[in-house]
Amino acid sequence: MNDSPAAALSGSAVDGGVADPTAFVPPTVFAAEAIVDLEAIRHNIRTFRAHYPQGKIMAAVKADAFGHGAPASATAALEGGADLLGFARLSEALQLRATGEEAPMFAWLNDVPNFARHARANDIDISVSGLDNLRAVAAENTGVNVHLEVETGLNRGGTVAAEWETLVAEAARFETEGSLSIRGIWSHLSHAGDLDAERTRAQSDRLQQAIQTARAAGLDPEFTHLANSSGVSLIDPSLYNMVRLGAGVYGIDEAGIGLRHAMTLTARVMQVKRAFAGEGVSYSHTYTLERDTTLALIAVGYADGLPWAAAGKAEVWLGGKRRRVAGRISMDQIMVDLGDDPVAEGDTAILFGPGTQGEPTVSEWAAWAGTLEHEIYCGIGARINRRYIN
Ligand SMILES: *Cc1c(COP(=O)(O)O)cnc(C)c1O
């Protein structure tokens, strides 16, 4: 890891034989990388499967698979035993379909014009969240597969109780006419992440009631689904035949079932220098040196998704130990306090990983910054190279 990016650039250009010293050649050695362990994703799906043997597993690869990269993560999740892929926005599903991914797909926000036509043409199931939405789908007259979303307590998407009877009656009529097909009925939990069994059960009861009303109106949905990652162990598995897993696929383990973090964020030491007692480090000198020390400049910052709010608490793994991040996190760089230990320019720091070597985890970063692991994963920036292993 001692190749400088400049050497990588000129090296590749010279290898090509045409020595245009001004030509830009993309680097092969990156200042910062997110290494994604695809076997961790497969392991996580298999772990859920052990808890949920009887139904379908939908792996949510929304938001570029929580920052892990949707195409590769989707493949790994399917290899691990997922049955279909879930997306927040239809546009995300269309984008992955365009790469040649053939797995069944479901998206719950219809964000493109003529969405029913696009969904039907690309064999993507969509969601309907209320009467206006249902009528818009029916008006396109495509026969698209629809999952009806029920409001059961989250107060986000979903059909409110007062509209439900009308909605299912109209849906049954549209289905008979052939303008759409009701494939599923579903809702989303508000307190599963807090492992609140009581509120979760109340939501499940409301959904069961809504499903009964729908059946009485003549609908016969193939799928009913409620649980997210943290909900799987809270909900009676016999009640539904699908779960929608996001966070847990990537290793965020809210229910403590033995999931593994898939992403390791690394960055290179770009400079090592001595600094002296009494000096301050980084913007506004929030970190003052009590004794002479060695500082390492690491090429990663808040533009790459490191939370600025973690400064003062954050640590990284470098040279076989945890080290404090010295002072504020910059847009593109952080400084790390090495004491008198020998660390060289070109060495690799681990910002977070599965924790197996002693490195911090994304959960620690989330605690340091007062945020969620989810937000950190989703915020890992486009400048960070994703490298896939296993
Ligand atoms: C993100 C999301 C999921 C996945 O939830 P996790 O808690 O990440 O497992 C499931 N369903 C919906 C509607 C979502 O928005």
Side-chain angles (χ1 to χ4, degrees):
M1 283 299 291
N2 280 313
D3 298 355
S4 72
L9 291 176
S10 60
S12 312
V14 170
D15 289 349
V18 231
D20 175 1
T22 62
F24 175 74
V25 179
T28 52
V29 175
F30 296 93
E33 276 196 318
I35 299 161
V36 177
D37 179 0
L38 297 173
E39 182 52 25
I41 292 178
R42 292 184 208 105
H43 162 87
N44 293 337
I45 298 283
R46 289 194 298 263
T47 303
F48 278 113
R49 178 56 83 196
H51 286 259
Y52 188 67
Q54 60 278 79
K56 299 266 186 199
I57 290 183
M58 180 190 303
V61 293
K62 60 185 179 179
D64 202 24
F66 288 54
H68 291 63
S73 303
T75 304
L78 294 163
E79 287 166 354
D83 301 286
L84 65 167
L85 302 172
F87 303 81
R89 301 180 188 158
L90 178 58
S91 57
E92 298 181 289
L94 290 166
Q95 214 175 340
L96 193 62
R97 186 64 92 215
T99 69
E101 178 56 68
E102 290 177 353
M105 295 182 178
F106 171 60
W108 48 87
L109 291 171
N110 300 313
D111 65 327
V112 300
N114 305 312
F115 57 89
R117 181 160 60 77
H118 289 293
R120 181 77 170 105
N122 289 278
D123 199 17
I124 298 165
D125 288 13
I126 58 174
S127 180
V128 146
S129 57
L131 262 182
D132 292 346
N133 208 203
L134 179 77
R135 290 168 184 162
V137 174
E140 287 195 58
N141 194 26
T142 57
V144 69
N145 286 324
V146 167
H147 299 227
L148 302 173
E149 186 183 4
V150 186
E151 168 55 55
T152 60
L154 178 62
N155 261 325
R156 203 172 72 177
T159 309
V160 295
E163 251 186 24
W164 184 246
E165 262 187 73
T166 314
L167 182 111
V168 292
E170 289 200 20
R173 183 161 54 78
F174 292 139
E175 186 165 60
T176 308
E177 292 167 6
S179 57
L180 50 75
S181 173
I182 302 302
R183 186 119 192 256
I185 297 182
W186 71 287
S187 188
H188 192 43
L189 296 169
S190 60
H191 285 73
D194 313 316
L195 305 180
D196 184 331
E198 202 171 316
R199 282 192 176 86
T200 297
R201 189 160 2 89
Q203 280 190 271
S204 179
D205 290 347
R206 281 178 217 125
L207 183 56
Q208 287 298 316
Q209 190 116 52
I211 293 167
Q212 267 186 21
T213 308
R215 290 198 199 284
L219 297 177
D220 184 21
E222 181 182 348
F223 297 120
T224 58
H225 44 113
L226 178 58
N228 61 341
S229 303
S230 47
V232 169
S233 35
L234 295 175
I235 289 176
D236 177 352
S238 68
L239 292 178
Y240 304 95
N241 59 4
M242 194 192 289
V243 294
R244 303 180 311 274
L245 310 178
V249 174
Y250 310 100
I252 299 171
D253 197 357
E254 290 156 316
I257 60 172
L259 305 175
R260 301 208 308 243
H261 282 293
M263 186 190 288
T264 298
L265 182 64
T266 69
R268 289 169 61 221
V269 176
M270 306 299 283
Q271 187 184 4
V272 174
K273 62 167 19 127
R274 288 297 281 178
F276 302 97
E279 293 180 353
V281 184
S282 192
Y283 292 123
S284 303
H285 283 183
T286 58
Y287 190 87
T288 311
L289 298 177
E290 279 161 22
R291 58 185 196 79
D292 297 357
T293 194
T294 301
L295 296 173
L297 185 163
I298 315 278
V300 64
Y302 61 76
D304 302 303
L306 274 196
W308 185 87
K313 295 179 182 151
E315 297 174 344
V316 306
W317 183 260
L318 177 56
K321 271 203 226 169
R322 283 194 180 215
R323 320 275 181 179
R324 290 193 67 185
V325 173
R328 292 221 170 129
I329 291 169
S330 302
M331 183 182 287
D332 318 292
Q333 327 182 8
I334 55 173
M335 301 305 292
V336 170
D337 192 341
L338 299 173
D340 294 325
D341 294 346
V343 163
E345 293 177 16
D347 284 358
T348 300
I350 302 178
L351 284 297
F352 56 74
T356 43
Q357 301 178 51
E359 78 278 15
T361 62
V362 71
S363 315
E364 287 176 85
W365 275 91
W368 293 329
T371 182
L372 301 176
E373 295 124 310
H374 311 55
E375 190 180 41
I376 294 180
Y377 273 156
C378 294
I380 298 303
R383 203 162 57 170
I384 303 280
N385 183 57
R386 267 72 171 171
R387 181 153 63 86
Y388 297 97
I389 59 168
N390 296 329

